Amino acid sequence: MGRRKLEIKRIEDKNSRQVTFSKRRSGLFKKARELSVLCDVEIALVIFSSRGRLYEFSGGKSLVKILERYYGQESEASKDDTEAVLSLTELLHMVQSRVEEPSIEQLSLMDLEKLEMQLAAALYRTRARKTQLVLETILTRQEKEKLLKAENDVLEREIAAMEKNEDYGSEMGTGLMSNTENLGHHHLPHMQTLMLLP
Amino acid sequence: MGRRKLEIKRIEDKNSRQVTFSKRRSGLFKKARELSVLCDVEIALVIFSSRGRLYEFSGGKSLVKILERYYGQESEASKDDTEAVLSLTELLHMVQSRVEEPSIEQLSLMDLEKLEMQLAAALYRTRARKTQLVLETILTRQEKEKLLKAENDVLEREIAAMEKNEDYGSEMGTGLMSNTENLGHHHLPHMQTLMLLP
DNA sequence: TCGACTATATATAATTG
DNA sequence: TCAATTATATATAGTCG
């Protein structure tokens, strides 16, 4: 589709090969995008030019994500017995006991899945904690005071509720409990909860 | 490009979505093939239909090879702002030595950032390796057979070479070594992995 | 190198059998 | 359900600034 028919074989002229690459590459990406939207499918497309430059497209998710999803379907069943989130120490012990020569090349697919989940969890906790520390540093005194005041209000109301409970029984108590829950205030770490949010 | 212009949004009618998927998929593959030949570039194309069926194309090298290169580049890029990527063992030791009281609460902000980067890198490598394994699993039987055949050829030639070597010396031997490398046959476990998988 | 610009070649949506 | 068949819409090879 051009002024003349083009044989499908390597274009020898370096210049027009580059031009054709540029044109057809964008055409291919466009087609891939359209297909992924029209038909609601996941597409990953990776191109290396002869000079080693990387071009990639992925419909919706990253290539890794796309393949993870596929793999996820395969291993839904085996996911159930995965343990809850482990502590860092437990993570270390788990990985260490599992792998004699702990090179990633040696791990089985199932091991990799578990390791991935543990790493992801550890990474999440690390980032959350970091965010918390950063926010603690950054918050202005005023904001801290505001938060402290809110904290105090909650505490005061709890105390008041407790006093009332002693008079009228426990009905009111549960009501206030869920009230404090709504304020994100389980066992005092109001501040922490707020700061853990992205 | 058909009887009428088609808006690029999900086709709701299930039937025509399937028909369009089939047509455009083959069109996309054709374009990818043409581009890889015309411009002498490496292309990897992976599609998952909504029903989880896999369609893949690779031009130039095998899909796994191309994606290995892709991962290589990706981790090259993310390497810059990190110190060198640690091995799993090194990561474990670093974390362990840092955390006496193994609670994440005890780490300093700088420690957390380093830990975060290491965890992210480890997670990335884990996912990349997992993807590679998954890809190896879902390769079509034909590809597996092709690989097996290549493997057999290599082994046969190696045996032939060994026999020759006994007669003529070692020159022939090194030549064959690099030949097997070109067939994507580094340190043998590639095939072992393939053969062990379902 | 880099866009526009066509004249053609291709791709494909709808139709048909 | 399909495989052909059109009638159109798109993609793009070569050309010109």
Side-chain angles (χ1 to χ4, degrees):
Chain A
M1 47 202 167
R3 295 302 181 93
R4 66 191 183 87
K5 188 183 165 77
L6 190 62
E7 257 191 290
I8 301 304
K9 64 171 193 179
R10 185 190 146 97
I11 297 170
E12 289 306 332
D13 180 58
K14 200 178 161 182
N15 194 38
S16 59
R17 189 168 70 238
Q18 172 56 35
V19 172
T20 295
F21 177 57
S22 171
K23 285 183 175 180
R24 280 183 174 251
R25 173 164 43 79
S26 70
L28 189 65
F29 281 169
K30 186 182 175 192
K31 289 276 184 194
R33 200 178 321 115
E34 290 182 355
L35 179 55
S36 89
V37 171
L38 286 171
C39 303
D40 195 22
V41 296
E42 291 172 12
I43 300 184
L45 175 57
V46 176
I47 303 180
F48 281 106
S49 75
S50 42
R51 285 188 221 119
R53 195 151 165 53
L54 170 71
Y55 303 86
E56 62 169 316
F57 162 83
S58 54
K61 307 175 180 181
S62 74
L63 179 57
V64 171
K65 284 279 173 213
I66 289 172
L67 292 164
E68 267 171 14
R69 182 189 152 190
Y70 175 84
Y71 180 72
Q73 290 174 353
E74 293 273 298
S75 66
E76 260 325 297
S78 64
K79 239 178 204 172
D80 296 334
D81 57 3
T82 313
E83 309 95 67
V85 174
L86 304 177
S87 76
L88 273 182
T89 324
E90 287 168 321
L91 169 63
L92 299 181
H93 287 154
M94 189 197 77
V95 176
Q96 244 164 6
S97 66
R98 217 173 270 277
V99 206
E100 295 301 290
E101 235 286 86
S103 155
I104 206 165
E105 304 296 323
Q106 316 297 322
L107 294 171
S108 78
L109 197 49
M110 215 172 82
D111 289 336
L112 283 169
E113 272 262 304
K114 287 187 177 167
L115 178 58
E116 179 190 4
M117 287 176 62
Q118 298 304 333
L119 287 173
L123 182 57
Y124 176 80
R125 280 175 290 149
T126 305
R127 287 187 168 145
R129 176 63 184 153
K130 198 185 76 178
T131 306
Q132 186 183 352
L133 275 179
V134 169
L135 281 175
E136 276 174 5
T137 309
I138 287 174
L139 277 178
T140 66
R141 184 173 302 131
Q142 283 155 358
E143 286 169 300
K144 282 182 185 167
E145 280 170 0
K146 222 157 67 185
L147 283 170
L148 280 172
K149 181 144 180 8
E151 190 79 2
N152 282 339
D153 290 351
V154 168
L155 287 173
E156 277 168 19
R157 268 186 289 162
E158 275 180 358
I159 289 165
M162 283 165 70
E163 285 168 352
K164 270 199 175 174
N165 275 344
E166 280 166 13
D167 296 339
Y168 301 114
S170 64
E171 235 180 60
M172 207 59 188
T174 48
L176 271 174
M177 277 294 281
S178 62
N179 201 338
T180 53
E181 286 268 331
N182 289 338
L183 286 168
H185 174 278
H186 302 252
H187 23 239
L188 223 277
H190 190 152
M191 295 280 288
Q192 284 186 359
T193 312
L194 270 180
M195 289 185 288
L196 281 171
L197 294 173
Chain B
M1 46 200 169
R3 295 300 182 93
R4 68 192 184 83
K5 190 182 162 78
L6 190 62
E7 256 191 290
I8 301 303
K9 63 171 192 178
R10 185 192 146 98
I11 297 170
E12 289 306 332
D13 178 58
K14 201 179 161 184
N15 194 36
S16 59
R17 189 168 70 240
Q18 172 56 35
V19 172
T20 295
F21 176 57
S22 171
K23 286 183 176 180
R24 280 182 173 252
R25 173 165 42 80
S26 69
L28 188 64
F29 281 171
K30 186 182 176 190
K31 289 276 185 198
R33 200 178 322 115
E34 290 181 354
L35 179 55
S36 89
V37 171
L38 285 170
C39 303
D40 195 21
V41 296
E42 293 172 20
I43 299 185
L45 174 57
V46 178
I47 304 179
F48 282 108
S49 74
S50 40
R51 288 189 217 115
R53 187 143 172 52
L54 168 73
Y55 304 87
E56 53 120 340
F57 163 82
S58 59
K61 301 182 180 177
S62 80
L63 191 58
V64 170
K65 284 279 166 215
I66 294 172
L67 292 169
E68 270 172 9
R69 194 174 168 190
Y70 171 71
Y71 288 130
Q73 293 236 336
E74 286 284 293
S75 48
E76 277 309 308
S78 61
K79 233 182 226 174
D80 295 338
D81 52 1
T82 322
E83 295 135 43
V85 175
L86 302 179
S87 76
L88 275 183
T89 325
E90 289 167 325
L91 172 62
L92 297 180
H93 287 157
M94 187 197 78
V95 175
Q96 216 161 31
S97 66
R98 236 171 252 277
V99 204
E100 298 297 290
E101 234 283 86
S103 158
I104 206 165
E105 307 294 323
Q106 314 300 319
L107 294 171
S108 79
L109 188 52
M110 216 174 76
D111 289 339
L112 281 169
E113 279 182 345
K114 286 184 180 165
L115 180 57
E116 179 190 6
M117 286 193 289
Q118 293 303 335
L119 285 173
L123 183 58
Y124 183 81
R125 279 176 291 148
T126 305
R127 287 185 167 150
R129 175 65 184 152
K130 202 183 75 178
T131 302
Q132 190 186 350
L133 275 180
V134 171
L135 270 177
E136 283 173 1
T137 307
I138 56 195
L139 281 178
T140 67
R141 183 172 304 133
Q142 281 157 358
E143 285 170 297
K144 284 182 187 173
E145 280 169 1
K146 225 158 65 185
L147 284 170
L148 278 173
K149 178 137 181 16
E151 189 78 1
N152 282 338
D153 291 349
V154 167
L155 287 174
E156 276 167 21
R157 269 185 290 164
E158 276 177 359
I159 289 166
M162 283 165 71
E163 285 167 354
K164 270 198 175 176
N165 276 346
E166 281 164 15
D167 298 336
Y168 301 114
S170 63
E171 234 180 62
M172 204 62 189
T174 48
L176 275 170
M177 279 293 281
S178 61
N179 200 339
T180 56
E181 285 270 330
N182 288 339
L183 286 167
H185 173 279
H186 308 250
H187 25 240
L188 224 278
H190 188 81
M191 287 306 295
Q192 282 183 354
T193 314
L194 273 179
M195 289 162 72
L196 288 172
L197 292 169

